[in-house]
């Protein structure tokens, strides 16, 4: 048997041709006393551990602490969950399970059928799942023609999957088998059920959640503490999808091929405008709001939202006055440092909150204030604006990542401020068992915007994304529940529009780079969508903030 030279997590090694990644992972874990691998990257491409090594390559094992490992773990949990439900619920009472959204440490699922989801049923399902874990059953990957897969899923009445595959360009598709259960999953699966040791099922709202460990603490099952405001916002958007008849990608593609995209765009944008108008009416109805803060994670469309909200406020007799939070940065020499020694402009200590509150207090008291300007070249604060005073019908509108943190406006009475949380919370599913992570839409938005406005390659945007997400986790997400209103800026049709811009950028990410696997994952994801003509996107749409050509930002 031929010996092959490989690099395993950077260490030279040899193995016989045909040795599986699983065999190598076991040897590596025993030798290095490391965590078990769930999947692996082979020359930057994510592979299942059943993959046989046939030529020289670089291998990096991904554990639960890696994004790719955790995602595969969650997919494995979903499959044993479905298999257990199939066993515990009579066939004539089982309709479907939909994995709807990610919420805190859990994944929210709904069940349709002739039985109620009770604690007793969830207990039986969890016990059966634990049985499958103990039995250490292999996940088998079956490659078959798309036509055959469509026939199988149609016979099983899994129409969401057969309809999705109808638009596949390739002739082959990979289907996963666990015992007698067949299903389609977006992305690689674990080697076997034995790795899926930690999970918990909890009754929640109209359905249930399955809870998994956090990436940074893989040996502990955390409590499930959901943001109920976020959940209500996600549920509202899910209902929009039901009313529009677009709950998954296959249905969106149906609309495109049947010529219904223009109507879908208009209705979806009208829903956005109505929600923005509702928020404006909340602000106006209080009669006391003088400070409106807008906060949300990267690429949520905060700037376009602030313009559209301002327009709605004007129709209600209020005059919005924007204040740039960046102008209140402390001088660069006083800016806190990140772990790598760079300036940390995202922490709240980078803002002169004392001066900011001082100026707000004076404005609310009717006094005249000269607002600062931050010079990003010199790194110092300057005063070169005319003094302003707040008129009775004026409302200060402040956009920035710390808008929900009370420390930012601690001197402003609660009755005088209104806090808005905005994020692109995608509720469109690939199919009933494969949800679209809400962060994927934002990452694609950011890649496109960064290339258009900053000259960044997609590789750079992907490389920065982990740090961006870390900043969001520290400075934005913990304050979600403090919002007086939430706005979901995602649009059901947007990925079909973003596809044309994102694909050329993603194809440029070089093979072998750390960002290559993520670029390939996003390309595979976008391949599910039929593209649409971006010129048809309304000129005031939030999507225009990223693709350009809008009337609000250009």
């Amino acid at each position: 048997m031929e010996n092959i030279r490989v690099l395993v997590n950077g260490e030279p090694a040899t193995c016989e041709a045909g040795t599986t990644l699983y065999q190598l992972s076991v040897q590596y874990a025993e030798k290095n006393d490391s965590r078990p691998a769930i999947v692996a990257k082979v020359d930057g491409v994510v592979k299942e551990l059943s993959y046989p090594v046939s030529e020289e390559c670089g291998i990096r094992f991904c554990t639960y602490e890696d994004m790719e490992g955790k995602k595969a773990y969650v997919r494995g949990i979903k499959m044993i969950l479905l298999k257990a439900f199939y066993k515990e619920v009579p066939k004539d009472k089982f309709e479907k399970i939909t994995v709807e959204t990610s919420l805190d440490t859990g994944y929210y699922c709904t069940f349709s059928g002739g039985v109620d989801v009770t604690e007793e049923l969830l207990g039986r399902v969890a016990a059966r799942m634990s049985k499958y874990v103990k039995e250490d059953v292999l996940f088998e990957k079956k490659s078959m023609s798309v036509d055959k897969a469509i026939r199988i899923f149609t016979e099983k009445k899994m129409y969401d999957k057969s309809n999705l595959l109808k638009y596949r360009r390739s002739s082959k598709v990979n289907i996963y088998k666990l015992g007698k259960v067949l299903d389609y999953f977006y992305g690689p699966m674990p080697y076997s059920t034995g790795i899926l040791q930690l999970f918990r099922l909890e009754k929640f709202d109209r359905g249930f959640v399955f809870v998994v460990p956090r990436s940074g603490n893989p040996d502990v099952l955390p409590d499930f503490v959901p943001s109920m405001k976020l959940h209500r916002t996600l549920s509202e958007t899910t209902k929009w999808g039901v009313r529009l008849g677009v709950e998954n990608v296959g249905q969106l593609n149906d609309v495109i091929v049947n010529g219904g995209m223009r109507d879908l765009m208009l209705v979806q944008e009208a829903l956005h405008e109505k929600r923005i108008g509702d928020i404006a009416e909340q602000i106006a109805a209080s009669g006391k709001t003088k400070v409106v803060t807008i906060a949300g994670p990267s690429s949520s469309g905060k700037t376009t939202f602030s313009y559209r909200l301002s327009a709605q406020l004007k129709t209600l007799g209020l005059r919005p006055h924007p204040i740039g939070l960046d102008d209140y940065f402390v001088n660069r020499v006083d800016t806190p440092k990140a772990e790598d020694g760079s300036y940390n402009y995202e922490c709240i200590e980078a803002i002169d909150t004392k001066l900011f509150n001082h100026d707000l207090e004076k404005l609310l008291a009717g006094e005249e204030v000269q607002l600062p300007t931050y010079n990003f070249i010199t790194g110092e604060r300057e005063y070169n604006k005319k003094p302003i005073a707040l008129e009775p019908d004026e409302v200060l509108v402040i956009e920035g990542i710390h808008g929900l943190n009370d420390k930012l406006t601690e001197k402003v009475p609660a009755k005088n401020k209104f806090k808005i949380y905005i994020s692109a919370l995608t509720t469109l599913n690939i199919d009933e068992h494969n949800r679209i992570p809400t962060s994927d839409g934002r990452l694609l938005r950011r890649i496109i915007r960064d290339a258009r406005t900053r000259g960044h390659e997609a590789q750079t945007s992907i490389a920065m994304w982990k740090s961006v997400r870390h900043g969001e986790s520290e400075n934005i997400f913990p304050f979600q529940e403090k919002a007086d209103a939430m706005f979901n800026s995602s649009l059901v049709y947007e990925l079909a529009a973003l596809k044309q811009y994102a694909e050329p950028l993603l194809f440029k990410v070089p093979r072998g780079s750390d960002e290559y696997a993520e670029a390939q994952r996003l390309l595979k994801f976008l391949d599910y969508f039929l593209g649409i003509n971006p010129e048809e996107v309304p000129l005031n749409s939030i999507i225009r903030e990223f693709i350009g050509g809008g009337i609000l930002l250009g």
Side-chain angles (χ1 to χ4, degrees), residues 169 253 256 261 495-497 499-500 526 529-534:
R169 291 177 175 82
N253 289 338
I256 295 171
M261 181 49 63
L495 290 165
K499 174 185 173 83
Q500 280 67 248
L526 289 170
F529 294 83
L530 297 180
I532 61 173
N533 182 2

Side-chain angles (χ1 to χ4, degrees), residues 8 107 200 321 441 490:
V8 179
Y107 294 82
R200 186 174 67 250
H321 188 105
S490 72

Side-chain angles (χ1 to χ4, degrees), residues 273-293:
E273 198 60 38
K274 183 180 184 305
R275 178 61 183 141
I276 295 171
D278 290 343
I279 293 172
E281 287 184 358
Q282 278 184 266
I283 294 168
S286 76
K288 297 177 180 178
T289 300
K290 300 301 289 181
V291 175
V292 175
T293 60

Side-chain angles (χ1 to χ4, degrees), residues 355-412:
L355 175 64
F356 187 66
N357 278 276
H358 172 267
D359 287 354
L360 289 181
E361 275 191 298
K362 292 183 71 174
L363 285 169
L364 293 178
E367 298 179 39
E368 199 173 69
V369 175
Q370 185 177 24
L371 301 179
T373 299
Y374 186 79
N375 187 324
F376 281 89
I377 297 175
T378 64
E380 295 184 349
R381 190 182 301 135
E382 299 174 350
Y383 287 89
N384 48 29
K385 298 176 182 176
K386 291 182 178 179
I388 66 164
L390 199 61
E391 300 295 330
D393 61 348
E394 281 190 304
V395 177
L396 298 175
V397 178
I398 302 160
E399 176 202 327
I401 65 172
H402 301 292
L404 303 180
N405 188 339
D406 283 326
K407 186 176 180 181
L408 180 70
T409 54
E410 60 186 348
K411 297 296 184 181
V412 179

Side-chain angles (χ1 to χ4, degrees), residues 40-59:
K41 285 184 180 178
V42 179
D43 290 338
V45 180
V46 182
K47 300 286 187 181
E48 280 140 339
L49 297 184
S50 56
Y51 177 81
V53 179
S54 59
E55 59 186 9
E56 291 186 15
C57 58
I59 299 166

Side-chain angles (χ1 to χ4, degrees), residues 179-190:
K180 295 181 180 180
V181 173
L182 279 172
D183 210 334
Y184 176 74
F185 284 97
Y186 164 56
M189 297 290 278

